[in-house]
C-alpha cells in the first residue's frame, strides 16, 4: 500500500490538488479556478470562501481520478500566493475580501511607514523593500479606512492560513516564510515587529502564532474530512508561501543554488545562509520552509502575464504560434525593447506606478518583432535580478520551473540574456510549489528527516547553454533596457500617481 501527501497549490487564479508520493513524484492532480476582482484602481481582491470551495472541488476531482488513494493520505501541506491580507473574526469568518499580492491601494500607508520608520530601517529589520503591496501597509490601510472592521478582526491571515483554519479549526497559525515577506517580523530574530507596530498604530495580537512550515499545526476535523472525502485526523502542517515552496520543489537547498520561476509572476531566487541586505534595496529576503535559512528573491511582477497578454494580440492562434513568430526574428528584435510593467514592477525598482512600454518602434517592425520583444523584455528583467545575485555569489547555472519553462525559445533567450546555463527538472513544469508543500508536510510527519533529504529526490533533465553569438547584442539591449525606467519614472508618477 502506498502512502501519499495531499498538496494544495493555491495560485493566483486556481487551486491545484496533488497526490505526491514519498519519492516526491506527482501521482495525480486536479484543479479548480476562482475569480479575481478589481473593484477600483490599485484594488485586487479574492474571496476567501472561493479558495475553500475550489479546494474542496479540486480534492474531490482528484479522488474521482484516484478513488483508491483517499485512505492512504498521511499528511496535508499547502503552498499559496503571498502578500495577502485577510481579516477574520474570532470564528474565522472573513470580514472583507482578501487584498492579494497585486493590490497596491495602501500607497499612502507605505509613505507613512517611510516617514515614521524609514526605508533603511524597515529594510534592515525585514529584509524586504517597502511597497504598498506589503500586508504591513494593508493592515494600516484597513485600520485607517475601516476602523470598525479592524476592531472586529481577531486575526490577519494569508491564503494558506485561512485554508489551514478550514482544515483544522486552528485560527492562530502562520509560518515564517509568509510572515517575513509580509514585512511583519524581524527576519533575524523571527519575532513580530512589536515596536514598529506601536509606532504605526497596529496591534501585534491580531497576527497569528509563528511556525516553521514543517510543523504540524493540527489535524483534519470531521467536518472538513467529510467535505473532502478524507478520513478525520490526518495531520496538517503549517505550509508556506508559494515562492519558498517552489524553492524546495525545484531542488534548491544549498548555499548559492539558483532557480528561475516563469509563472504569472516570476522570480530569480538564490539560497543563502543569511539574509542578503542590499544597500540599494533591490532584492528581498524570505525565510525558508525550515525557518533557519534565507532565500533572496528578485521578483518580476508580470512574466507569463506579459506573454499571455501579447499572445492574445500578436498570435491569437495560441502560444505555439507566439513562439513560432518570435523565433523568426533575430536576437535583439531589431532594436525593439519591451518594458514588462503591466501592473507595476517589483525588483529591482519596486514601483507600482510603472507601466508597460514598447521602445524603439520603427516601420521595419511587425508582429513577429513584438512577440519576440516581449519574451526578451521579461528576460531582461529577470537577468537584471540575476546580476544582483552575482554581486554576492557566483552564478553559472540555474534551474527553471513554471509554465513558461515549456518554451524552448524562452529558455534560450534567458540563457543568452542572463549568461547562464539553464537546467530543467524532472517533474511537471508547474509542479514545484506542490512538491515543496508536500516535502514540508512529509518532514512534518517523519517521512523525511529534513528538507535537504527531500530535495535529493528532484532530478535534472535538459540543459540550455548560452549562445556566445548572442552575447554582444543582448549586453547592448540590457544596457538600453536598464536606462529606460529612470528616464520614464517621472512620467509614470505624473500620469498614474495621486
Amino acid at each position: 500500500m502506498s502512502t501519499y501527501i495531499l498538496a494544495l497549490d493555491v495560485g493566483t487564479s486556481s487551486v491545484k490538488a496533488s497526490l505526491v508520493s514519498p519519492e516526491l513524484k506527482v501521482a495525480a492532480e486536479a484543479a479548480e479556478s476562482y475569480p479575481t476582482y478589481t473593484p477600483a484602481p490599485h484594488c485586487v481582491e479574492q474571496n476567501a470562501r472561493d479558495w475553500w470551495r475550489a479546494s474542496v472541488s479540486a480534492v474531490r476531482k482528484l479522488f474521482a481520478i484516484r478513488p483508491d488513494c483517499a485512505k492512504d493520505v498521511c499528511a496535508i501541506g499547502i503552498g499559496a500566493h503571498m502578500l495577502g491580507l485577510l481579516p477574520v473574526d474570532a470564528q474565522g469568518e472573513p470580514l472583507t475580501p482578501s487584498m492579494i499580492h497585486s493590490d497596491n491601494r495602501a500607497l499612502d500607508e507605505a509613505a507613512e511607514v517611510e516617514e515614521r520608520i524609514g526605508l533603511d530601517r524597515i529594510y534592515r529589520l525585514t529584509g524586504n523593500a517597502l511597497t504598498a503591496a506589503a500586508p504591513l501597509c494593508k493592515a494600516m490601510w484597513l485600520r485607517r479606512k475601516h476602523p470598525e472592521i479592524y476592531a472586529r478582526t481577531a486575526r490577519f491571515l494569508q491564503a494558506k492560513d485561512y485554508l489551514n483554519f478550514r482544515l483544522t479549526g486552528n485560527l492562530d497559525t502562520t509560518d515564517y516564510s509568509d510572515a517575513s515577506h509580509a514585512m511583519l517580523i524581524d527576519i533575524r530574530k523571527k519575532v513580530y515587529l512589536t515596536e514598529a507596530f506601536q509606532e504605526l498604530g497596529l496591534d501585534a495580537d491580531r497576527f497569528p502564532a509563528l511556525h516553521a512550515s514543517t510543523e504540524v499545526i493540527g489535524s483534519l476535523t470531521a467536518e472538513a474530512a467529510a467535505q473532502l472525502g478524507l478520513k478525520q485526523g490526518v495531520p496538517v502542517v503549517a505550509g508556506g508561501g508559494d515562492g519558498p515552496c517552489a524553492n524546495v520543489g525545484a531542488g534548491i537547498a544549498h548555499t548559492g543554488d539558483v532557480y528561475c520561476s516563469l509563472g504569472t509572476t516570476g522570480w530569480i531566487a538564490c539560497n543563502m545562509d543569511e539574509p542578503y541586505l542590499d544597500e540599494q534595496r533591490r532584492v528581498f529576503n524570505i525565510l525558508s520552509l525550515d525557518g533557519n535559512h534565507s532565500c533572496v528573491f528578485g521578483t518580476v511582477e508580470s512574466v507569463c502575464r506579459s506573454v499571455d497578454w501579447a499572445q492574445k494580440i500578436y498570435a491569437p492562434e495560441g502560444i505555439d504560434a507566439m513562439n513560432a513568430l518570435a523565433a523568426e526574428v533575430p536576437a535583439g528584435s531589431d532594436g525593439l525593447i519591451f518594458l514588462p510593467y503591466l501592473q507595476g514592477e517589483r525588483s529591482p525598482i519596486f514601483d507600482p506606478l510603472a507601466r508597460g512600454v514598447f521602445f524603439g518602434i520603427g516601420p521595419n517592425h511587425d508582429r513577429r518583432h513584438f512577440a519576440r520583444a516581449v519574451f526578451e523584455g521579461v528576460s531582461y528583467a529577470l537577468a537584471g535580478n540575476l546580476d544582483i545575485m552575482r554581486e554576492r555569489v557566483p552564478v553559472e547555472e540555474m534551474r527553471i520551473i513554471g509554465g513558461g519553462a515549456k518554451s524552448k525559445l524562452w529558455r534560450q533567450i534567458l540563457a543568452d540574456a542572463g549568461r547562464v546555463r539553464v537546467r530543467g527538472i524532472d517533474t511537471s513544469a508547474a509542479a514545484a510549489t506542490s512538491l515543496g508543500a508536500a516535502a514540508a508536510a512529509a518532514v512534518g510527519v517523519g517521512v523525511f528527516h529534513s528538507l535537504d533529504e527531500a530535495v535529493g529526490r528532484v532530478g535534472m533533465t535538459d540543459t540550455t547553454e548560452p549562445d556566445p553569438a548572442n552575447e554582444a547584442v543582448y549586453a547592448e539591449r540590457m544596457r538600453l533596457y536598464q536606462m529606460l525606467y529612470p528616464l520614464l519614472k517621472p512620467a509614470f508618477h505624473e500620469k498614474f500617481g495621486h
Side-chain angles (χ1 to χ4, degrees), residues 258-332:
V258 176
Y259 79 101
C260 173
S261 175
L262 298 180
T264 303
T265 292
W267 56 79
I268 300 285
C270 181
N271 208 56
M272 296 190 182
D273 290 332
E274 296 289 336
Y276 175 4
L277 298 181
D278 174 47
E279 291 183 0
Q280 300 176 59
R281 303 187 299 272
R282 297 167 296 175
V283 291
F284 59 91
N285 300 264
I286 303 178
L287 290 174
S288 62
L289 297 188
D290 63 11
N292 295 323
H293 300 88
S294 180
C295 198
V296 184
F297 283 80
T299 295
V300 176
E301 181 67 35
S302 298
V303 173
C304 286
R305 180 183 287 118
S306 291
V307 172
D308 292 344
W309 166 81
Q311 179 261 308
K312 292 173 184 176
I313 298 171
Y314 303 115
E317 305 89 344
I319 191 62
D320 290 342
M322 174 86 167
N323 277 274
L325 282 173
E328 295 179 13
V329 175

Side-chain angles (χ1 to χ4, degrees), residues 220-434:
L220 198 62
T221 66
E223 179 182 357
Q227 292 187 60
L228 295 170
L230 289 168
K231 60 187 178 184
Q232 182 180 354
V234 175
V236 179
V237 301
D242 53 2
C245 284
N247 292 0
V248 174
I252 299 300
H254 306 294
T255 300
D257 285 350
V258 176
Y259 79 101
C260 173
S261 175
L262 298 180
T264 303
T265 292
W267 56 79
I268 300 285
C270 181
N271 208 56
M272 296 190 182
D273 290 332
E274 296 289 336
Y276 175 4
L277 298 181
D278 174 47
E279 291 183 0
Q280 300 176 59
R281 303 187 299 272
R282 297 167 296 175
V283 291
F284 59 91
N285 300 264
I286 303 178
L287 290 174
S288 62
L289 297 188
D290 63 11
N292 295 323
H293 300 88
S294 180
C295 198
V296 184
F297 283 80
T299 295
V300 176
E301 181 67 35
S302 298
V303 173
C304 286
R305 180 183 287 118
S306 291
V307 172
D308 292 344
W309 166 81
Q311 179 261 308
K312 292 173 184 176
I313 298 171
Y314 303 115
E317 305 89 344
I319 191 62
D320 290 342
M322 174 86 167
N323 277 274
L325 282 173
E328 295 179 13
V329 175
S333 300
D334 288 333
L336 187 63
I337 297 175
F338 172 65
L339 303 188
Y341 308 150
L342 299 188
Q343 288 188 301
E345 184 57 297
R346 292 199 231 174
S347 309
I349 64 174
F350 294 97
D351 188 350
L353 302 179
R355 289 296 179 268
V357 171
F358 281 105
F359 172 82
I361 302 171
N364 59 312
H365 294 134
D366 56 35
R367 64 177 183 147
R368 298 172 302 164
H369 296 86
F370 285 89
R372 186 179 185 100
V374 170
F375 283 118
E376 290 180 337
V378 172
S379 299
Y380 299 153
L382 291 164
N385 283 293
L386 184 62
D387 285 339
I388 297 170
M389 309 295 178
R390 286 187 169 117
E391 295 175 16
R392 184 63 60 93
V393 295
V395 180
E396 296 181 355
E397 177 179 298
M398 72 178 182
R399 302 182 185 193
I400 190 167
I401 64 171
K406 299 174 184 177
S407 169
K408 182 178 180 180
L409 172 71
W410 201 353
R411 292 198 305 271
Q412 187 65 61
I413 292 172
L414 273 169
D416 294 348
R419 311 177 313 284
V420 64
R421 183 184 309 115
V422 175
R423 301 198 66 188
I425 60 175
D426 65 355
T427 57
S428 166
T433 297
S434 298

